[in-house]
Amino acid sequence: MKIFFTLFAAGIVLTTLTLIVLAIASLFRIPFTYILGNLKSRRMSTFMSILGIGVVIAVMLSMQALDRGVTLATQSTASKDILIVMREGAEAEISSWVTRDAEQIIRTLPGVEKVSPELTIIFKLPRAGAPKGSNVIVRGVTPAAFEIRPYMKIVDGRMFHPSTNELIVSKRISDRFNLHVGQTFTFGPNTWNIVGAFTANGSAYDSEIWADEAYLGTARNREQFSTVYIKPTDPSQIAAIKSAIANDNRLKLQVRSEFQYYSDQMNGLIGIKILVSIVAFFMLFGAILGTMNTMFSSIAPRQRELATLRALGFSRRTIIGSVVLESAIVALAGAVAGLLLSLPVNGLSSGTVNWSTFSEVAFSFRVDAVVARFGFIVALIAGIYGGAIPALRTARMPITTALREI
């Protein structure tokens, strides 16, 4: 089965490249002004085709912007040089624990520059649209947590004081849960005071609330840490630190880079990936059909014209290439229209559930260069195949038959 799909993909790539070569080669025989003239001669139908393709591309780009936003919300700024130490077998911080004795051993390992012991706990808090509550990660930290994450910035209020019930809330969580500086809320037997709001450069920490580790642990009866973050003295020390922890039978801990951990967390968001893939497939199929319909309606009245070109000595490959090029231009113009139509969703805030942590992931739709490039690639494929099928049909028609067509 794998071989079949590999051969199928190779065939698609080869066919696509062949059609692109034919389209480019046709310019050496047929002037580009001729192709533009064909598009200008049917302005209204060309415009409607561009708009139709643009709407399809816009829907697809909006879904891609959702996927891109979620990906950046979990992986952006995650470092390959920062290590996360967790319990063996734990897939998420909330299901992990590291003893305080183990944390002291980790501090003494060669190559360790900074150690940040952290505690992660789930708070279920009400928000708009979910009055019964959604889960939010509350992270207990020490000052070292800010030293290994220099991109963390307090943008409103102040830092919490140690050993108090004070919290700082990410701006995204603040907006989604209506938790603002100066407010208080109750969770369990404790009342918590919000004294600051922070941003974390669009990272996973932008979906969290932070508190003093010692106070949070006491309030929730947690004596152990969830994880220990390590900043090595030098990236070359990473392998040695991993080996030292893995081979120390007193610890029974696993080590992953911060980047690898948050990449693995994407498994908890697989539903969004599947949804985006399904939508992208059907949008691509719709774009190809729309482009194909446009080119069929465009070529039908031009049977005589194309037959005349062949009678004048232009080859089938040149005719096919010119039609494919014309189709690709329409589709790429549709991609531009789709990109413009999708821009209003850029920056919109939303949230979803990470099923690995059962907590809220706040994110913003992102229509960036990666998303735009995907839209243009899809449009180009739609244009190539949408034009190739009617072009092949026309090119195979005998010249005498085509000259009699009205």
Side-chain angles (χ1 to χ4, degrees):
M1 184 62 70
K2 185 177 180 180
I3 295 176
F4 170 77
F5 281 111
T6 301
L7 292 175
F8 179 77
I12 292 294
V13 172
L14 183 60
T15 303
T16 303
L17 292 176
T18 300
L19 291 171
I20 291 175
V21 170
L22 289 178
I24 296 173
S26 69
L27 291 175
F28 293 99
R29 301 293 307 278
I30 298 178
F32 188 66
T33 52
Y34 168 78
I35 296 172
L36 291 180
N38 288 328
L39 296 175
K40 291 179 181 179
S41 65
R42 53 181 202 282
R43 290 183 178 85
M44 184 52 65
S45 64
T46 299
F47 173 77
M48 295 305 296
S49 299
I50 291 173
L51 184 60
I53 295 170
V55 170
V56 172
I57 295 295
V59 173
M60 185 183 63
L61 290 183
S62 297
M63 295 302 298
Q64 287 292 325
L66 182 155
D67 177 65
R68 180 67 173 163
V70 171
T71 300
L72 291 177
T74 54
Q75 290 181 299
S76 68
T77 74
S79 173
K80 295 181 179 179
D81 297 332
I82 299 298
L83 303 178
I84 303 180
V85 182
M86 302 170 60
R87 174 182 62 85
E88 282 187 345
E91 295 299 326
E93 290 182 276
I94 60 170
S95 60
S96 172
W97 64 81
V98 179
T99 66
R100 294 181 181 271
D101 289 341
E103 185 261 347
Q104 289 300 315
I105 293 173
I106 292 170
R107 285 184 179 276
T108 64
L109 295 177
V112 173
E113 179 181 347
K114 287 186 175 66
V115 171
S116 173
E118 301 181 6
L119 174 62
T120 52
I121 293 176
I122 293 292
F123 279 19
K124 190 171 186 178
L125 303 174
R127 66 169 174 82
K132 293 185 178 180
S134 292
N135 291 335
V136 182
I137 288 180
V138 179
R139 183 179 296 272
V141 298
T142 65
F146 297 89
E147 294 176 8
I148 66 173
R149 301 177 181 91
Y151 49 83
M152 298 285 296
K153 305 293 182 185
I154 300 292
V155 294
D156 190 15
R158 60 172 174 82
M159 177 59 63
F160 56 77
H161 290 143
S163 302
T164 66
N165 65 337
E166 296 178 344
L167 302 169
I168 57 174
V169 182
S170 75
K171 282 293 292 180
R172 286 180 180 173
I173 293 298
S174 174
D175 295 338
R176 284 185 60 76
F177 286 79
N178 195 30
L179 298 172
H180 302 291
V181 175
Q183 294 180 340
T184 62
F185 67 88
T186 300
F187 181 77
N190 304 100
T191 298
W192 301 89
N193 299 323
I194 303 172
V195 298
F198 68 88
T199 60
N201 200 25
S203 67
Y205 308 111
D206 271 317
S207 298
E208 297 182 353
I209 297 172
W210 283 25
D212 176 69
E213 184 278 324
Y215 188 89
L216 180 64
T218 301
R220 304 307 300 167
N221 297 316
R222 288 285 298 271
E223 296 182 357
Q224 299 171 330
F225 304 116
S226 297
T227 51
V228 173
Y229 282 68
I230 299 174
K231 181 180 180 181
T233 54
D234 187 86
S236 63
Q237 299 294 321
I238 290 176
I241 293 173
K242 286 184 176 181
S243 177
I245 293 174
N247 295 327
D248 194 325
N249 292 327
R250 298 171 297 172
L251 299 178
K252 298 187 184 303
L253 301 171
Q254 62 174 322
V255 187
R256 278 182 284 184
S257 71
E258 185 185 35
F259 180 84
Q260 183 61 53
Y261 172 76
Y262 283 107
S263 296
D264 294 341
Q265 289 296 296
M266 289 300 294
N267 294 331
L269 299 166
I270 192 65
I272 288 180
K273 292 288 186 182
I274 293 173
L275 176 62
V276 170
S277 298
I278 292 173
V279 171
F281 173 78
F282 283 106
M283 290 298 101
L284 173 60
F285 191 63
I288 290 176
L289 289 180
T291 308
M292 192 185 306
N293 181 65
T294 298
M295 296 315 297
F296 267 122
S297 61
S298 165
I299 291 175
R302 296 166 52 197
Q303 299 285 359
R304 282 188 175 182
E305 172 192 332
L306 296 177
T308 301
L309 289 175
R310 288 184 56 201
L312 292 174
F314 292 95
S315 66
R316 284 190 174 92
R317 286 176 295 182
T318 300
I319 301 298
I320 292 172
S322 66
V323 174
V324 168
L325 181 59
E326 185 178 326
S327 174
I329 292 171
V330 172
L332 290 175
V336 173
L339 179 60
L340 294 176
L341 290 172
S342 68
L343 286 180
V345 308
N346 187 41
L348 289 180
S349 297
S350 186
T352 186
V353 176
N354 184 340
W355 294 105
S356 292
T357 61
F358 299 98
S359 63
E360 184 93 359
V361 176
F363 65 91
S364 297
F365 284 71
R366 291 291 296 272
V367 182
D368 57 11
V370 173
V371 173
R373 182 168 63 246
F374 179 82
F376 277 93
I377 290 173
V378 169
L380 180 61
I381 293 173
I384 289 172
Y385 284 95
I389 295 175
L392 288 168
R393 178 180 177 274
T394 300
R396 292 175 61 184
M397 184 179 296
I399 296 177
T400 55
T401 303
L403 289 173
R404 289 196 299 267
E405 292 286 339
I406 299 176

